[in-house]
Amino acid sequence: MTKKIRIGLVGYGNIGKGVELALEKFPDMEGIAVFTRRNPEELDSKFKAVSLDDILDYKDQIDCLILCGGSATDLPEQGPNLAKNFSTIDSYDNHNNIPHYFEDMDAAAKNGNQVSIISVGWDPGLFSVNRAILESVLPGGETYTFWGKGLSQGHSDAIRRISGVKFGVQYTIPMESSLEKVRSGVNPELSTREKHERVCYVVEKENADRQLIEKTIKTMPDYFEPYNTTVHFIDEKTFKKDHNKMPHGGFVIRTATSANNNKQKAEFQLQLESNAEFTSSILVAYARAAYRFKTDGKTGAFSVLDVPPAYLSAKTSEQLRKELL
Amino acid sequence: MTKKIRIGLVGYGNIGKGVELALEKFPDMEGIAVFTRRNPEELDSKFKAVSLDDILDYKDQIDCLILCGGSATDLPEQGPNLAKNFSTIDSYDNHNNIPHYFEDMDAAAKNGNQVSIISVGWDPGLFSVNRAILESVLPGGETYTFWGKGLSQGHSDAIRRISGVKFGVQYTIPMESSLEKVRSGVNPELSTREKHERVCYVVEKENADRQLIEKTIKTMPDYFEPYNTTVHFIDEKTFKKDHNKMPHGGFVIRTATSANNNKQKAEFQLQLESNAEFTSSILVAYARAAYRFKTDGKTGAFSVLDVPPAYLSAKTSEQLRKELL
């Protein structure tokens, strides 16, 4: 039997738990341990739980670490530290800071002869792959990205921080009329307000002021002010029944006009009942690619744009050419 | 100024002419010559027309040849001959024979220290890329490919060979009900007849027997018999007005169920007013990748599944990370 690719998880939140579940569907890979800053005994993982302080003891037992922490504080610190000693996959998604994060990870990974693939997921991730391929094969057009309908974690958190809010979620919804305009090939210029709307469901605390909550949401700069925002107040029972999932999705659309004025359109769509489970599954597939890059003798940081599709698959190149080409 | 990637065309049919037009939108590339088996003086190309017999004289003036011939007879013979002396791109699309063609091209390209990327286009091509990526990131599901609505060249040719037919075209149309079933995530088993229907438009010759033509089409083995086929007889004027374009398109749909029974769906769609112009544009983008593979010191044959998305773009890795990741 071929040796399995040995995976370590760093962090055990939504994504860590998702990676643990996803690994069951990747028979060529196995989870070795979860590394945590918490007390390992408190973790209910089927993998061995180990203190993050002891991770270097596992250097020879892990082919690739999947970093399951967040982009705000976890990854900027953990990433470069771990990349010196392990190959890593992460879902760093702070778009503006990607070039800087890439440099840090590249230096660390090269320093330790490791491979790091950063910003893996669906956006950044599969959507980036589609933006890059479609822009290249259909030059002279426009690319549009729409997100949703989906639950935005950041916006939901922002609602929950408002005084008087007991529970709250926010759904990002692409404007159907703008989607249709884009698909028609007229290459419209769309304002932020024209691309997405935001719909919130809120359970207020006893005696809270609904009007004040609604106004606080709708006028919140950056998060809600630039959008058409709707706020629904609902009871706790309805909230727990109807808003307990994390659906998401979106669209990358490229339209271009080729010679002789022919309209060409390509579109990539995702519709996910569980955002975290999909992101986790993508992370695991890219861990295969990191392992292969390392086998090829590569070192340093890479993004999804550097990964050949074949490197994501458990199949051999021969199989892929025969079955999927 | 950076040196442009120098392209040679072999063949000047639909695809060759499409490549000539497409190159205008690739400012980092330039067409050097069209190589033809015809009398070069008969070619109305803006590139220099050269007899295919003299192609070796251009060995040092071409970075990559785009082979614009057909898969039936041109490519199996031309491909391995040219791959010994030039890096090549082709759109070889005889699915069953791809493994054998790959071996021939790989041996020839390695023999001459060249790079050949085979089976480039949208299927095989971008659809294959999507099938490979989506199967990898969403294991435990099913992938479906639908083609159309689009004009099938092979089926149109088959109609035109029937006695009594003056003009004829055939459109392949995916069955909307099956598309919806697939999108619902129930992973249906679909027969050939359930996936696509075929709609034909025919102009008959004077005194031809419409009933006989229709029966001959509908009972043609492999081409039409396994499908629900509709035949419309129209007049020549209508034919020339309404059926002078070569639209095509299609869908790759992957559905899977992740942990906790969550349904996940990814879909890639193409809608093209000109099939040939899109295929040509893809060929040019992959010529960039062939050039980069060669710069990397690679030799041999590759497929689209071996090409990192970044290699298709004129942008640097830094730009791509900043702008598209």
Side-chain angles (χ1 to χ4, degrees), chain B residues 54-243:
Chain B
D54 300 328
I55 195 167
L56 285 181
D57 298 345
Y58 287 77
K59 202 173 158 168
D60 299 328
Q61 296 171 52
I62 302 273
D63 294 311
C64 186
L65 284 180
I66 298 182
L67 312 185
C68 306
S71 302
T73 52
D74 298 334
L75 293 175
E77 191 206 312
Q78 282 180 356
N81 271 331
L82 294 169
K84 275 183 279 188
N85 291 295
F86 295 92
S87 284
T88 67
I89 297 293
D90 67 58
S91 59
Y92 188 82
D93 66 358
N94 182 344
H95 281 266
N96 288 335
N97 212 39
I98 282 176
H100 178 68
Y101 183 68
F102 180 88
E103 294 304 325
D104 286 354
M105 292 298 278
D106 192 47
K110 282 194 174 128
N111 182 273
N113 288 317
Q114 304 291 342
V115 165
S116 289
I117 305 181
I118 70 157
S119 302
V120 173
W122 59 271
D123 199 357
L126 300 191
F127 272 19
S128 324
V129 166
N130 275 280
R131 285 189 288 259
I133 292 178
L134 296 178
E135 175 181 280
S136 304
V137 302
L138 278 175
E142 287 290 333
T143 307
Y144 296 84
T145 302
F146 290 86
W147 297 277
K149 181 187 175 182
L151 188 150
S152 162
Q153 202 58 62
H155 289 78
S156 299
D157 286 344
I159 292 174
R160 289 190 285 260
R161 280 193 297 264
I162 294 170
S163 160
V165 170
K166 190 167 181 187
F167 300 104
V169 288
Q170 189 267 186
Y171 298 98
T172 305
I173 301 176
M175 304 288 277
E176 197 59 44
S177 56
S178 297
L179 271 172
E180 289 314 313
K181 206 182 278 182
V182 165
R183 287 182 180 132
S184 76
V186 297
N187 290 355
E189 281 209 36
L190 296 169
S191 67
T192 300
R193 197 175 295 272
E194 285 169 319
K195 286 189 74 185
H196 300 91
E197 60 176 322
R198 301 198 178 278
V199 177
C200 313
Y201 294 86
V202 175
V203 180
E204 81 270 28
K205 289 181 183 158
E206 223 172 307
N207 301 322
D209 180 344
R210 284 191 175 187
Q211 272 192 309
L212 182 62
I213 291 173
E214 181 164 345
K215 194 181 159 202
T216 308
I217 293 175
K218 288 187 171 178
T219 57
M220 202 184 291
D222 301 331
Y223 279 82
F224 292 101
E225 191 281 319
Y227 301 85
N228 288 337
T229 301
T230 314
V231 180
H232 300 283
F233 288 92
I234 58 177
D235 63 65
E236 187 166 335
K237 198 176 145 199
T238 309
F239 185 91
K240 290 193 169 160
K241 180 167 69 68
D242 295 347
H243 302 284

Side-chain angles (χ1 to χ4, degrees), chain A residues 25 128 137 257-259 277 325, chain B residues 25 128 257-259 277 281 325:
Chain A
K25 299 209 176 172
S128 324
V137 301
T257 306
S258 63
E277 288 173 15
L325 194 59
Chain B
K25 300 211 174 172
S128 324
T257 306
S258 63
E277 286 173 15
S281 191
L325 192 60

Side-chain angles (χ1 to χ4, degrees), chain B residues 269-284:
Chain B
Q269 307 180 346
L270 288 174
Q271 200 178 326
L272 313 165
E273 281 189 358
S274 171
N275 187 359
E277 286 173 15
F278 186 54
T279 299
S280 305
S281 191
I282 301 174
L283 289 168
V284 177

